[in-house]
Amino acid sequence: WTVPDLIEDIELPEIEGLQSHPSPEVGEYRQVKLRWTDKRLALAARSQPYGTQDNRRIMQAGRPDDTEALEVIEGVLTLSDLKRRLAARHLGYDVETGADILRVPLIVGKDATLRLTTGDVLQLSREDGAFVVNFGKLEIISGEIVATSRFEGETREFAPFIATVGSGTVRLSDATLRDLGFGFTAKYAGFSILAHTTMQPGDRNFLDNSRFDGLVAVALVGVKHAEVRGNRFFDMRRNPLLVSQSPNAVVEGNLFSGNTPTNAVRVANGSSDTRLIRNIVLEGARAGLLVSSGSDGVLVSGNLIWRRNGGGIKLHHVRCGRVQRNAILDDKQKGVEIRTSPDSVSYTHLRAH
């Protein structure tokens, strides 16, 4: 078997209550207010809880000594708004793909929304140091955000990223994100949602029916009740999905494929009562699903894990974990491994080589 053989006709499990989110009504749009600001302000908000690692690489990206960033103060910003308001110096056009290329960092304020819908393709220019930091709402409904160039393997050099911080919330549905992220931290992983002690979100985060291709990782850090359902993760450069300090997450019906260097899903650092249900994990290194570091009461059920260059499922230093009715096929190490995890149980699995 090969990965294309397995996924050619694959259908992810139907998930009760999962629907693609409809495009917003026109009446929701408010007058958009924009201003120029300093990109160092957005970096500072993440440096307080998450440190300064890789910040210098962001400052060195783009034009020398240019700290300019575009901030959306309020209203709903669309790609059409960007086209109308930005000069070619800040928003270019790719004649080969027809995509619009953002050449400046974009900051979404706490009272603002960035919204991409069907047919919208926004490229973030690696050469110009473009990125998106969201303190408000990020809504991508059948739209795309991609980097202008692709990395092979992990890299420490700058690449565009999308980070939602503190008060920000995310709703992805049928979206595509490609080739984002750099370094080894969650804050620049490609697509990250990061809590902040002084900024609380007003809503939950939903990632559904979307495609993540060639990112470093999708990282949820300090986020409660996030839902990650029905997505496809391809050729991620680190662990495709990190759930850290994020209790009560639901990770259901996702497909993870490609030769990733580490765990497909990593639930860590007190992400208790998370549910890993009916996911499909194909190939990659180490355990497919890892639950660790005080993430107690996690349910791992109904997952299919195939041909891992490591184990299938691992629980490490957790309590009261439940691992049940998973199919683990042709992996090279243990099917289910439970270590230093009192009151955890494992039963009724299909295991084959």
Side-chain angles (χ1 to χ4, degrees):
W1 289 345
T2 65
V3 169
D5 292 334
L6 285 174
I7 69 175
E8 181 178 4
D9 298 313
I10 204 167
E11 293 186 5
L12 295 182
E14 292 187 6
I15 302 170
E16 184 178 353
L18 175 60
Q19 298 179 349
S20 298
H21 296 287
S23 299
E25 297 295 330
V26 174
E28 292 184 28
Y29 286 78
R30 292 185 295 161
Q31 181 68 33
V32 179
K33 293 184 179 180
L34 307 175
R35 68 181 176 190
W36 293 105
T37 187
D38 193 317
K39 67 182 181 182
R40 290 173 291 188
L41 298 176
L43 300 184
R46 281 168 299 159
S47 297
Q48 292 171 346
Y50 301 105
T52 60
Q53 185 175 346
D54 291 326
N55 283 7
R56 179 172 295 182
R57 299 183 190 280
I58 294 178
M59 296 306 302
Q60 293 172 342
R63 293 177 288 271
D65 302 318
D66 186 358
T67 64
E68 193 172 56
L70 179 66
E71 181 181 6
V72 191
I73 303 173
E74 65 177 41
V76 178
L77 180 72
T78 67
L79 189 55
S80 297
D81 293 322
L82 283 174
K83 292 178 182 179
R84 287 196 301 267
R85 298 194 179 210
L86 293 184
R89 174 172 178 261
H90 299 114
L91 186 69
Y93 180 76
D94 188 329
V95 294
E96 293 185 1
T97 66
D100 296 282
I101 304 176
L102 186 65
R103 304 188 185 279
V104 64
L106 178 64
I107 301 171
V108 182
K110 64 181 180 63
D111 297 318
T113 300
L114 172 62
R115 179 176 293 157
L116 301 184
T117 57
T118 303
D120 289 342
V121 181
L122 179 62
Q123 290 193 10
L124 303 180
S125 173
R126 175 193 170 204
E127 295 74 15
D128 295 293
F131 58 81
V132 176
V133 173
N134 169 42
F135 297 99
K137 293 182 179 180
L138 174 62
E139 299 176 355
I140 307 178
I141 314 297
S142 302
E144 299 184 26
I145 299 182
V146 302
T148 53
S149 58
R150 180 163 191 148
F151 283 108
E152 298 297 334
E154 291 215 54
T155 178
R156 292 183 180 274
E157 299 304 316
F158 173 83
F161 60 89
I162 303 170
T164 292
V165 184
S167 54
T169 57
V170 169
R171 185 176 294 272
L172 302 187
S173 186
D174 298 304
T176 298
L177 303 180
R178 186 177 295 118
D179 302 327
L180 303 171
F182 74 102
F184 299 93
T185 66
K187 61 182 180 176
Y188 302 131
F191 188 84
S192 54
I193 306 176
L194 311 169
H196 194 288
T197 54
T198 64
M199 295 182 284
Q200 298 301 315
D203 202 353
R204 296 167 61 189
N205 295 281
F206 299 91
L207 284 61
D208 64 61
N209 287 336
S210 295
R211 178 185 178 112
F212 303 93
D213 191 349
L215 280 66
V216 172
V218 172
L220 311 178
V221 182
V223 180
K224 297 180 180 179
H225 301 286
E227 295 190 13
V228 183
R229 299 175 184 259
N231 303 286
R232 287 157 172 79
F233 298 75
F234 293 105
D235 296 324
M236 305 289 277
R237 286 175 275 152
R238 203 167 62 231
N239 56 290
L241 178 61
L242 170 65
V243 181
S244 178
Q245 304 173 46
S246 299
N248 299 108
V250 177
V251 180
E252 183 174 7
N254 303 282
L255 171 66
F256 301 87
S257 176
N259 192 25
T260 53
T262 187
N263 319 104
V265 181
R266 185 176 297 170
V267 179
N269 303 317
S271 298
S272 298
D273 300 311
T274 288
R275 291 182 288 159
L276 306 180
I277 306 172
R278 292 186 289 176
N279 300 286
I280 299 171
V281 180
L282 306 180
E283 300 188 320
R286 301 190 180 182
L289 306 177
L290 172 65
V291 181
S292 67
S293 312
S295 299
D296 300 332
V298 171
L299 172 64
V300 184
S301 178
N303 301 282
L304 168 64
I305 302 171
W306 177 79
R307 196 173 281 183
R308 294 291 296 185
N309 188 20
I313 299 168
K314 181 176 180 179
L315 272 57
H316 187 56
H317 285 290
V318 300
R319 300 180 63 89
C320 302
R322 288 180 295 153
V323 184
Q324 62 189 40
R325 293 189 292 274
N326 300 283
I328 303 169
L329 310 177
D330 203 20
D331 62 322
K332 291 189 177 181
Q333 296 181 15
K334 300 180 181 69
V336 177
E337 181 180 3
I338 299 178
R339 301 181 60 185
T340 322
S341 298
D343 302 316
S344 295
V345 295
S346 173
Y347 57 90
T348 319
H349 305 288
L350 171 62
R351 178 81 191 282
H353 289 283

